[in-house]
Amino acid sequence: MSEPTFVSLPNYREYSVAETQQRAQEFLAEVRRRRTVREYSSRPVSRDVLERCLEAATTAPSGANMQPWHFVVVGDPELKRRIREAAEAEEYEFYHHRAPQEWLDALAPLGTDEHKPYLEEAPFLIAVFVQRYGTLPDGRKIKHYYATESVGIATGILITALHHCGLVTLTHTPNPMGFLNTILGRPKSERAFVLLVVGYPHPDARVPDIGRYEIGEKVEYR
Ligand code: IYR
């Protein structure tokens, strides 16, 4: 077992009370504007910006610092076409056979169906994988703790970073997502967590007229 070593907290910043309040307000105003978008412009997205946002995502805290994520950025039209084809096949089954009525009722306000043109129209898809375990240089397996939670946190940072850059996303979870391992050549030790659609909104993009709960219904202080 290796002994822990410590360094002093690097780059920590404290703000004045007024600045703290302003930052909290501004951040809230910024994230409040985020909406999930299903209609994309074919306008390209700077690869450089994606790289910075992905790097931001990989700063997420993770169980035992295992960093149990893997991101595959897909911009190749042929790969996007294959992903769309596979996703639409699964989604057809979902909407027509697998989904219980209760689930379909819950989705009704979103107006979704098995057609997923955005998987080809958006400039990039980011397939996010959970690494259930890692492999040491000598080939031994190493367990990842809280892998799903960690990848969820990283994905949240990614979505927020992309929004911060004026990009829009869709958190797409075709069900099941095993086809992503096949198409993208990822090992069985990884499970697809989400397929993030990334781009600029179509000029005529519309979003469902749905709202958020009042904060008091979701947060309490004791
Ligand atoms: N995966 C399907 C269904 C779907 C499920 C949930 I939960 C959503 O919030 C939205 C859609 C689809 O993408 O259409």
Side-chain angles (χ1 to χ4, degrees):
M1 226 177 39
S2 61
E3 283 297 308
T5 56
F6 292 91
V7 293
S8 44
L9 185 60
N11 307 321
Y12 172 72
R13 272 199 217 167
E14 183 169 323
Y15 304 101
S16 70
V17 172
E19 225 181 328
T20 304
Q21 283 167 348
Q22 192 185 346
R23 289 177 70 89
Q25 281 292 353
E26 285 175 2
F27 187 74
L28 170 60
E30 163 102 354
V31 296
R32 240 188 204 151
R33 292 187 297 100
R34 189 200 57 78
R35 291 297 310 261
T36 288
V37 170
R38 292 186 170 80
E39 293 168 300
Y40 285 79
S41 154
S42 58
R43 196 173 140 201
V45 162
S46 150
R47 155 119 182 214
D48 186 62
V49 168
L50 281 192
E51 284 174 6
R52 296 292 79 71
C53 293
L54 284 156
E55 220 172 312
T58 63
T59 67
S62 63
N65 191 34
M66 295 290 181
Q67 304 164 55
W69 38 68
H70 186 87
F71 300 90
V72 183
V73 182
V74 182
D76 176 59
E78 174 55 17
L79 272 183
K80 287 195 291 181
R81 192 196 61 73
R82 288 176 57 198
I83 289 171
R84 175 184 179 179
E85 191 176 77
E88 285 186 333
E90 294 294 4
E91 296 286 86
Y92 182 88
E93 286 304 308
F94 174 82
Y95 282 96
H96 294 270
H97 302 295
R98 275 201 301 259
Q101 193 55 44
E102 189 186 22
W103 195 342
L104 294 175
D105 291 346
L107 292 178
L110 306 182
T112 54
D113 59 26
E114 70 272 26
H115 303 291
K116 307 297 177 194
Y118 45 73
L119 293 176
E120 282 190 89
E121 289 164 2
F124 284 108
L125 310 175
I126 303 179
V128 183
F129 290 88
V130 178
Q131 298 180 324
R132 284 184 283 220
Y133 53 85
T135 313
L136 293 170
D138 63 9
R140 273 182 306 143
K141 285 179 186 170
I142 180 166
K143 185 169 164 42
H144 284 166
Y145 302 97
Y146 297 101
T148 307
E149 291 83 346
S150 305
V151 175
I153 295 168
T155 302
I157 296 177
L158 178 57
I159 292 168
T160 309
L162 292 164
H163 168 71
H164 185 66
C165 298
L167 294 164
V168 294
T169 58
L170 165 65
T171 319
H172 184 40
T173 49
N175 180 6
M177 283 194 277
F179 66 86
L180 287 173
N181 290 68
T182 312
I183 295 176
L184 301 174
R186 298 309 302 167
K188 277 214 287 287
S189 54
E190 293 184 5
R191 180 175 58 78
F193 177 72
V194 71
L195 182 59
L196 211 61
V197 183
V198 182
Y200 289 99
H202 189 278
D204 305 323
R206 293 182 313 157
V207 293
D209 188 13
I210 52 176
R212 297 186 169 111
Y213 282 94
E214 290 300 321
I215 193 65
E217 296 176 83
K218 294 292 176 182
V219 181
E220 62 174 299
Y221 301 85
R222 295 185 178 215

